[in-house]
Amino acid sequence: MALNIISNYAANVAHRNLSASDEMATRSLSKLSSGTRVVSARDDAASMAIGARLNATTQALKTATVNVGQANSMLQIADGGMATIDDILVRMKTLAVQASSGNLSDTERGFLNDEFTELRDEIDRIASSTNFNGIQLLGDGGDVAINFGDLATGGSGAALTPVNGFDNFAITDNNYWATDTDSDVTDNNFEVDIDYAAGGQVIMTVNATVDGDNRSQSIDVTDYASGGTTAIGAGENATLNFDELGLSFTVNTNFSASVSSIAADNTGASNFGSDTTFNGVTGNDSSANIVNMSADNGQQLATSIEFQVGGGNTANDRLSINLTSVDSDTLGSGSSGSETSLEDLGANAINTAAGAQNAVEVVTRAIDDLQRARAAIGTSQNRLDFAGQNLASTQENTESARSTLMDLDVAAEMTAFTSKQILVQSGVAMLAQANQMPQNLLRLLQ
């Protein structure tokens, strides 16, 4: 090979090998720092694709495991409610058996009947209020909602607005209107009146109507007047609770001004609920003070609930659990639903010995009905437990498969990295030696 100083073949070869060694060392370093064998698709495109799908499946299975835990918690709440109802039914049977005996007078049976009917109402209250995140578990919940459309201009409750002091309304699950057994609740409403009373008092009264039956509750709001002990400042709010009706009002500083206006006019002409003078303005119509109710289907007991217990979108990835109502209208009706229920016993369920003897049979059936519903819940809980165990096993195996494809063998890669480091160091040394070779030609010129 000719000797020349223009082209240094040895240096070019050393540089090429050094670049290759440096690139391999860099890739090895990225794998060691990330802990994965496939850093990019160039490392192993097929493994990266499979690993991405397995990782998505693993994460989905983790979420499904959480779903199973939540489902079990939901059913545990339902079982707890049923356990309480079971205790109530035992007490009701005790009362019925006691009232069946001839040694009691009608007066004493009346006392027992009062407790019996109250306990029946408590069953309905528990069935209505037992829910998980708003999902009914044992029976229909509060099946009414406020029709906020009535607050619009021209509506029946248009005066119940922030300018007059009313910011918001809320009703509880066990409100007065929820007692309506009629599916049509649009004939139910409440009316708000704020009136001047003798002695300078200002009384706020809410009149509630259910199918023509009325109930009212009043609160003394005199101290809410401007300058009063509970006056509402600018930007502040207060809550007025009408617990007997299951209704609350959120009021603002304009409410204090309204109370002051009514208190200042002892003639009653400025009362809220009249159409003469309000807040000192003649003709200010405050008679639009009635808000109607509307059906709230979101609080009905669902026939079944589907839980996502898998990572896919097939029927096998979902578990359907049936829910059974355990209120007084259902308990006692038997497996066919055709027998006399607790609700059918009426208000004088155990007023007589004959009625009490019949009630014993109905309560016994109610206990059997409850146990069937509770057994179904227990069956679903056991099924969820097995589903959870299967998810845990599947998650472990899927994670292991992903690890085999994607995770780095640190020991083997560290050995390879060490080898590449040596090659890099050797390449640097040899490149230096190759760059020294042209210097030898200078001796021929001396």
Side-chain angles (χ1 to χ4, degrees):
M1 180 179 293
L3 298 177
N4 60 75
I5 60 174
I6 301 300
S7 178
N8 191 341
Y9 175 78
N12 289 336
V13 172
H15 179 266
R16 176 171 57 79
N17 289 327
L18 175 59
S19 297
S21 298
D22 182 67
E23 183 179 359
M24 290 188 292
T26 300
R27 290 188 186 180
S28 184
L29 190 61
S30 66
K31 291 179 182 180
L32 286 168
S33 61
S34 65
T36 178
R37 183 180 68 85
V38 184
V39 178
S40 63
R42 68 188 298 178
D43 296 324
D44 189 339
S47 293
M48 172 163 279
I50 298 172
R53 286 196 294 269
L54 290 175
N55 182 59
T57 300
T58 299
Q59 297 305 316
L61 291 175
K62 288 180 180 179
T63 302
T65 301
V66 174
N67 291 344
V68 169
Q70 292 292 300
N72 252 325
S73 298
M74 177 186 289
L75 295 183
Q76 190 60 40
I77 291 173
D79 184 71
M82 289 183 181
T84 303
I85 292 176
D86 181 64
D87 292 339
I88 294 174
L89 289 175
V90 170
R91 175 59 181 168
M92 291 176 71
K93 185 170 184 178
T94 301
L95 294 173
V97 170
Q98 185 177 2
S100 299
S101 180
N103 60 298
L104 298 180
S105 67
D106 291 341
T107 300
E108 290 157 340
R109 286 195 185 91
F111 298 150
L112 297 177
N113 183 75
D114 290 342
E115 182 179 355
F116 187 92
T117 54
E118 286 293 322
L119 290 177
R120 183 176 57 191
D121 291 342
E122 179 62 14
I123 289 177
D124 287 335
R125 190 197 68 79
I126 292 173
S128 174
S129 62
T130 302
N131 64 79
F132 180 87
N133 195 31
I135 300 172
Q136 293 299 125
L137 301 177
L138 303 181
D140 294 339
D143 57 352
V144 294
I146 293 175
N147 185 358
F148 288 98
D150 290 342
L151 305 178
T153 301
S156 61
L160 299 170
T161 54
V163 69
N164 289 331
F166 299 94
D167 272 352
N168 195 19
F169 313 94
I171 56 176
T172 65
D173 286 344
N174 299 303
N175 57 78
Y176 176 53
W177 300 275
T179 62
D180 186 3
T181 57
D182 190 350
S183 59
D184 180 15
V185 297
T186 57
D187 56 346
N188 301 334
N189 58 58
F190 68 84
E191 176 183 343
V192 179
D193 295 308
I194 308 176
D195 303 313
Y196 178 85
Q201 288 183 307
V202 178
I203 306 298
M204 177 175 173
T205 302
V206 176
N207 300 298
T209 301
V210 173
D211 291 342
D213 294 329
N214 300 312
R215 178 187 292 183
S216 65
Q217 183 179 357
S218 298
I219 293 179
D220 186 343
V221 295
T222 308
D223 291 336
Y224 283 93
S226 301
T229 57
T230 55
I232 306 170
E236 297 178 349
N237 289 103
T239 301
L240 303 177
N241 292 312
F242 290 78
D243 299 326
E244 295 177 12
L245 307 178
L247 178 68
S248 65
F249 295 81
T250 301
V251 292
N252 58 35
T253 187
N254 293 332
F255 182 81
S256 291
S258 298
V259 174
S260 298
S261 175
I262 294 171
D265 182 4
N266 58 13
T267 66
S270 298
N271 290 348
F272 182 85
S274 66
D275 58 1
T276 51
T277 302
F278 183 66
N279 277 350
V281 180
T282 303
N284 188 358
D285 187 2
S286 64
S287 63
N289 59 341
I290 298 175
V291 177
N292 295 297
M293 295 297 168
S294 60
D296 181 6
N297 296 325
Q299 291 183 330
Q300 302 298 305
L301 177 68
T303 304
S304 64
I305 300 178
E306 281 193 345
F307 297 101
Q308 184 75 21
V309 295
N313 188 32
T314 68
N316 292 327
D317 291 301
R318 291 180 288 273
L319 181 60
S320 180
I321 294 178
N322 296 324
L323 298 177
T324 303
S325 177
V326 290
D327 55 18
S328 63
D329 189 47
T330 303
L331 293 176
S333 61
S335 57
S336 63
S338 59
E339 302 287 345
T340 301
S341 68
L342 292 175
E343 183 68 25
D344 294 333
L345 292 176
N348 300 319
I350 57 174
N351 257 1
T352 64
Q357 291 165 5
N358 180 55
V360 171
E361 183 179 350
V362 174
V363 174
T364 300
R365 275 201 312 271
I367 293 174
D368 292 339
D369 292 342
L370 179 67
Q371 299 316 309
R372 274 193 294 270
R374 196 173 181 186
I377 292 293
T379 299
S380 297
Q381 284 183 297
N382 288 335
R383 187 174 179 183
L384 283 170
D385 288 340
F386 284 113
Q389 293 173 19
N390 180 65
L391 281 173
S393 176
T394 303
Q395 180 183 327
E396 291 171 4
N397 294 329
T398 304
E399 181 68 21
S400 177
R402 189 210 62 81
S403 176
T404 301
L405 281 174
M406 303 293 291
D407 288 353
L408 181 68
D409 184 340
V410 178
E413 191 61 35
M414 193 64 200
T415 301
F417 177 64
T418 302
S419 173
K420 292 162 188 173
Q421 272 188 316
I422 294 173
L423 285 175
V424 170
Q425 294 169 2
S426 176
V428 170
M430 291 307 102
L431 181 58
Q433 291 297 323
N435 287 332
Q436 289 295 324
M437 290 177 66
Q439 299 295 327
N440 295 330
L441 296 178
L442 292 177
R443 295 178 184 177
L444 297 176
L445 302 176
Q446 292 176 354

